[in-house]
């Protein structure tokens, strides 16, 4: 991976991580996300997982180039990234304590 691709991915991972920490610690989210997300802490954990996945893929591509471990590390990051949509979906659904009693 070239640095002109790696640097923006690293900046994106840091920005997503900062947003995820803010959502986990305080419940703060970006204004365009507030009307869709019901559980901001869970959404923050999804953002943190996404930033870890991006960092794993970036580390595998930059530091392990030419190694046999590169594919395993980058595929591992991709496999973890498949869990992010499930967490985002769950953060948009009301929890058991949040749902009205029937």
């Amino acid at each position: 991976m070239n640095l002109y691709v790696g640097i923006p991915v690293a900046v994106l991972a840091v920005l997503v991580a900062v947003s995820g920490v803010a959502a986990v610690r305080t419940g703060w989210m970006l204004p365009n996300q507030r009307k869709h997300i019901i559980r901001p802490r869970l959404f923050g954990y999804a953002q943190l997982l996404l930033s870890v996945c991006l960092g794993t893929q970036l580390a595998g591509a930059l530091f392990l180039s030419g190694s046999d471990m590169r594919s395993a590390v980058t595929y591992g990051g991709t496999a973890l990234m498949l869990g992010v949509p499930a967490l985002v979906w769950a953060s948009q659904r009301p929890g058991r304590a949040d749902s009205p009693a029937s």
Side-chain angles (χ1 to χ4, degrees):
M1 176 182 291
N2 295 329
L3 286 180
Y4 65 85
V5 176
I7 291 173
V9 170
V11 169
L12 178 67
V14 169
L15 291 175
V16 170
V18 167
S19 178
V21 168
V24 169
R25 296 276 310 218
T26 64
W28 182 87
M29 294 183 304
L30 293 171
N32 60 347
Q33 298 169 337
R34 290 182 189 147
K35 61 183 173 182
H36 300 290
I37 304 299
I38 296 172
R39 295 188 279 178
R41 286 192 67 190
L42 186 59
F43 185 71
Y45 287 127
Q47 287 181 318
L48 288 174
L49 180 62
L50 179 64
S51 66
V52 167
C53 296
L54 287 173
T56 302
Q57 290 180 342
L58 184 66
L62 285 178
F63 301 123
L64 298 175
S65 62
S67 174
D68 293 336
M69 289 296 294
R70 178 181 178 182
S71 296
V73 171
T74 56
Y75 288 154
T78 303
L80 280 175
M81 200 177 291
L82 293 176
V84 172
L87 288 175
V88 171
W89 177 80
S91 69
Q92 294 175 353
R93 312 302 315 158
R96 291 183 186 201
D98 299 334
S99 62
S102 44

